[in-house]
Amino acid sequence: STSSSSSSSAPRQPYVVNGQTYQLDEWSNTPPSILSKVNRNIHRLPSHPISILRQIVEDHFSSHTALSPSTPIVSVHQNFDELGFPPDHPGRSLTDSYYLNKEYMLRTHTSAHEVESYRRGLDKWLLSADVYRRDEIDSSHYPVFHQMEGTSVWSLDQLHTLPELNKELAAQLEKCPIQIEDNTKISPSNPYQAHHDPIHAEQITQNLKHSLNSLIFRLFGKQATKDGEPLRVRWIEAYFPFTTPSYEVEVWWEGEWLELLGCGVVMQKTLDQAGVPDKAGWAFGLGLERLSMVLFSIPDIRLFWTQDPRFHTQFSAGKISTFKPYSRYPPCYKDMSFWLPQGAISDTAGKGSGSVAGGGGVSAAGGKGRVFHENDYCEIVREVAGDLVETVTLIDEFTHPKTSRQSKCYRLNYRHMDRSLSNEEVNELQQKVQDRVVEEMGIEMR
Ligand code: FA5
Ligand code: MG
């Protein structure tokens, strides 16, 4: 299916990225504002919080090889097919991912490099990179963010070393001051793999949990209490097409559970694809921004992209320090109420769920104006207002009792990171957003 806004926001010239040309087709939906982020490499700036955390994690997993691919462009095959994503997985849709064309895309997760890395014969590696997703707009979501993939696999004849490793890790964890809640269990919806000896599957799962808990201990050990409250971390069951059992780790932050990472026991199919069928092990994918926000007390994900020295001078390599917010300029919000096209259905799937994890379905409705996707709306807002927009929140929804027509009202909150915005400026932005959504999404202002 193609989305109604993708064709209009796509350029007419082929994409040229890092000297490579990508011909356009009906999948091309990557706007220039996104491509401009491709070579920023904030995860490699030595004293940027994203990079500080990357280094600490690399230090913690010191026997793992650290990898950092040079381009975020991967084939659709690498990002999805090779990892067993079904053809109708919502993450594949144009509303969730950025495509250069039907064959190439901006990776949506660092797992896109799993098969090639296992194929190189690497057993223990970490990989850090920028990843790209079309998403909602708020303080913890941004269309470009950074992930760190980590994995350990063993040849089947090395698995007997696991009980000893697990015992050592368990002993270290006894000193961990953080309450880590784990009520997960193996069940038909989150099973061990039929291919694995259940004893091995259990040992791998335990090694996964101990290894990540030990990382949490390393990262959060000194902040076991925050504002007098004990830090809360929990394991929950999850689903990924390329792992089972699968889990997510969350931390209680600013009054809600914030997801830090997804992980699981690598699906045998992935290792088969990579030509290493006689191995087994685990993998995780960690969101570096989310972790940084908690550890450095960074209140807004957009700050990672600021060039303001008042941000950058606060951090130094190797050190987790508390960010002291410099005076923020006042916000300014404007509401936008509109009618969806007659008969249109609305899709806000993915809210808070993360696109590679599943939920919802790829809409097959297609056709201009038939489906209202919140991500399409948000992208137009970003295209017009860039980082000046802080949040986009649905504040009201309404279906007309006679015509069944649907109406929505979004609140757009604007704030400049470095100065005050004038009311005229904001009105102008709001008007531009309005003009574009009317033209591109077929909606009608109320
Ligand atoms: C994944 O991306 C899987 N590849 C993780 C994985 C790897 C599972 C290996 C199993 C084995 P998910 O979509 O949940 O899963 O994203 C992983 C993490 O990235 C999240 O926990 C979160 O910390 C971060 N993240 C996801 N979306 C955003 C976003 N829009 N902005 C900032 N961080 C995000
Ligand atoms: Mg997730």
Side-chain angles (χ1 to χ4, degrees):
S1 71
T2 55
S3 95
S4 49
S5 77
S6 60
S7 47
S8 40
S9 56
R12 274 170 226 105
Q13 298 289 322
Y15 292 115
V16 181
V17 189
N18 296 339
Q20 284 278 344
T21 303
Y22 299 87
Q23 295 306 328
L24 304 183
D25 61 25
E26 70 283 8
W27 284 83
S28 311
N29 71 342
T30 307
S33 62
I34 293 294
L35 282 179
S36 74
K37 299 281 200 289
V38 159
N39 289 317
R40 284 285 298 275
N41 286 320
I42 62 175
H43 58 297
R44 299 206 187 101
L45 300 176
S47 54
H48 191 287
I50 297 296
S51 173
I52 295 173
L53 273 189
R54 174 186 57 74
Q55 289 170 50
I56 294 175
V57 179
E58 286 174 2
D59 210 48
H60 183 74
F61 288 101
S62 57
S63 53
H64 287 58
T65 307
L67 308 170
S68 182
S70 58
T71 171
I73 298 172
V74 297
S75 65
V76 176
H77 183 75
Q78 282 175 292
N79 198 80
F80 291 129
D81 304 331
E82 217 167 50
L83 292 166
F85 282 75
D88 62 347
H89 192 280
R92 289 181 183 262
S93 69
L94 284 164
T95 55
D96 284 36
S97 296
Y98 292 109
Y99 287 84
L100 297 175
N101 53 40
K102 68 173 185 302
E103 227 179 311
Y104 290 98
M105 64 189 299
L106 296 174
R107 68 183 152 235
T108 64
H109 58 167
T110 43
S111 303
H113 299 284
E114 280 196 8
V115 172
E116 70 187 34
S117 305
Y118 295 134
R119 193 178 285 130
R120 285 171 58 188
L122 296 172
D123 289 341
K124 295 188 170 43
W125 50 268
L126 293 164
L127 183 146
S128 332
D130 39 339
V131 302
Y132 298 76
R133 292 185 197 176
R134 296 184 79 202
D135 222 325
E136 62 204 274
I137 300 181
D138 66 25
S139 62
S140 64
H141 290 83
Y142 199 79
V144 191
F145 58 100
H146 294 78
Q147 284 187 339
M148 209 163 166
E149 194 88 357
T151 170
S152 287
V153 298
W154 293 265
S155 311
L156 297 183
D157 61 5
Q158 287 302 310
L159 285 173
H160 65 88
T161 60
L162 277 173
E164 195 54 38
L165 288 175
N166 286 342
K167 233 167 70 189
E168 281 168 30
L169 284 166
Q172 286 172 24
L173 283 166
E174 267 172 28
K175 301 187 199 89
C176 180
I178 304 160
Q179 297 251 335
I180 302 176
E181 302 161 32
D182 183 354
N183 300 314
T184 61
K185 51 187 182 306
I186 298 302
S187 70
S189 61
N190 200 25
Y192 290 142
Q193 293 170 47
H195 181 89
H196 289 152
D197 176 339
I199 305 224
H200 286 157
E202 190 188 338
Q203 289 165 351
I204 294 169
T205 305
Q206 203 171 62
N207 190 259
L208 165 67
K209 289 186 172 179
H210 285 352
S211 300
L212 286 172
N213 284 339
S214 124
L215 174 66
I216 290 163
F217 181 8
R218 162 82 163 247
L219 291 169
F220 292 97
K222 294 206 185 94
Q223 307 193 0
T225 57
K226 195 174 193 299
D227 311 326
E229 297 287 313
L231 183 77
R232 292 178 70 194
V233 174
R234 71 172 184 187
W235 282 75
I236 56 170
E237 283 147 40
Y239 171 78
F240 300 100
F242 43 96
T243 50
T244 186
S246 304
Y247 305 97
E248 283 175 343
V249 175
E250 300 183 329
V251 57
W252 184 255
W253 190 68
E254 312 263 289
E256 56 182 27
W257 288 106
L258 183 72
E259 191 195 304
L260 294 180
L261 65 90
C263 64
V265 176
V266 180
M267 203 67 106
Q268 185 61 36
K269 272 188 304 196
T270 309
L271 296 160
D272 291 346
Q273 287 258 5
V276 291
D278 293 327
K279 290 183 180 174
W282 50 254
F284 69 80
L286 178 75
L288 284 171
E289 275 79 356
R290 296 282 179 82
L291 198 59
S292 301
M293 291 175 81
V294 178
L295 283 167
F296 294 86
S297 303
I298 294 172
D300 192 314
I301 199 163
R302 293 177 303 162
L303 281 164
F304 294 111
W305 299 91
T306 185
Q307 317 260 18
D308 194 321
R310 287 177 300 172
F311 179 80
H312 292 278
T313 52
Q314 294 200 26
F315 306 101
S316 52
K319 229 178 94 199
I320 295 177
S321 50
T322 302
F323 174 65
K324 287 173 210 68
Y326 37 87
S327 66
R328 301 181 81 202
Y329 292 90
C332 172
Y333 70 78
K334 301 273 167 192
D335 293 346
M336 192 180 292
S337 298
F338 50 82
W339 294 106
L340 303 196
Q342 188 77 47
I345 53 166
S346 77
D347 174 9
T348 51
K351 180 123 184 116
S353 72
S355 60
V356 315
V362 178
S363 167
K368 197 167 172 85
R370 295 288 302 164
V371 185
F372 173 86
H373 288 286
E374 186 169 286
N375 287 352
D376 287 340
Y377 181 73
C378 286
E379 182 148 286
I380 292 174
V381 178
R382 279 195 200 280
E383 278 294 285
V384 172
D387 285 358
L388 299 184
V389 63
E390 186 165 79
T391 52
V392 175
T393 322
L394 182 64
I395 56 169
D396 190 35
E397 263 181 313
F398 162 81
T399 304
H400 193 282
K402 291 217 177 76
T403 64
S404 312
R405 223 170 154 191
Q406 275 192 65
S407 133
K408 287 180 187 289
C409 180
Y410 281 94
R411 176 159 296 171
L412 282 67
N413 197 35
Y414 297 90
R415 190 204 302 261
H416 202 297
M417 300 290 234
D418 308 327
R419 62 177 176 81
S420 288
L421 281 170
S422 70
N423 197 44
E424 295 83 74
E425 257 180 307
V426 174
N427 279 337
E428 203 176 300
L429 289 169
Q430 183 83 352
Q431 186 62 47
K432 273 195 193 141
V433 172
Q434 190 168 311
D435 294 347
R436 278 195 58 177
V437 294
V438 166
E439 190 192 318
E440 296 171 29
M441 302 186 77
I443 63 191
E444 193 183 307
M445 292 300 142
R446 284 186 65 178

